Amino acid sequence: MPVRRALAKFGHDLALARRRRRYSQVSMAQRIGISVATLRRLEKGDGTVAWGTIVRTMHVMGELARIDTLLDTGQDDLGLALLDQQLPQRIRRKKTNPESGGL
């Protein structure tokens, strides 16, 4: 259900942004390199549209930079917290053997 809602919202927002820029569906589809039917599916929130099509659409709309931040690992609070839990409590120096040439 949340995925369907997100797809529907993306499609609605895309259609609105396209109309605000005064792009017709034909013009927009040509810019993206897809058929008008595929653009209509995208604007209806069809989840079977290829990821590459969505990225090209974001590029045409001038919003490609938003794709870069979708799963920014530096902002992944859960992932960073899980990594922090796996950190060792202490770090011990390795003992060096004089014969091994280590300092």
Side-chain angles (χ1 to χ4, degrees):
M1 207 60 167
V3 173
R4 277 193 228 142
R5 272 193 302 253
L7 288 168
K9 181 180 181 328
F10 177 80
H12 178 267
D13 291 348
L14 173 61
L16 183 61
R18 176 186 55 78
R19 291 192 315 266
R20 284 180 177 163
R21 287 166 173 78
R22 302 205 184 280
Y23 296 159
S24 68
Q25 284 186 328
V26 172
S27 171
M28 182 75 171
Q30 287 174 344
R31 290 168 187 248
I32 300 169
I34 58 175
S35 69
V36 174
T38 301
L39 178 60
R40 286 186 183 135
R41 286 179 32 230
L42 187 58
E43 289 184 349
K44 287 182 181 179
D46 186 336
T48 63
V49 175
W51 175 245
T53 301
I54 295 169
V55 173
R56 285 194 316 270
T57 301
M58 296 296 285
H59 176 68
V60 167
M61 299 302 280
E63 300 292 342
L64 189 58
R66 291 183 185 217
I67 297 290
D68 292 340
T69 60
L70 283 179
L71 285 176
D72 183 8
T73 56
Q75 302 296 319
D76 182 9
D77 294 335
L78 177 59
L80 292 171
L82 291 170
L83 278 176
D84 287 347
Q85 287 178 356
Q86 294 175 358
L87 291 175
Q89 295 296 317
R90 294 182 357 183
I91 298 177
R92 297 183 181 139
R93 272 181 73 179
K94 290 184 178 181
K95 293 183 181 180
T96 58
N97 183 347
E99 297 172 6
S100 68
L103 298 176

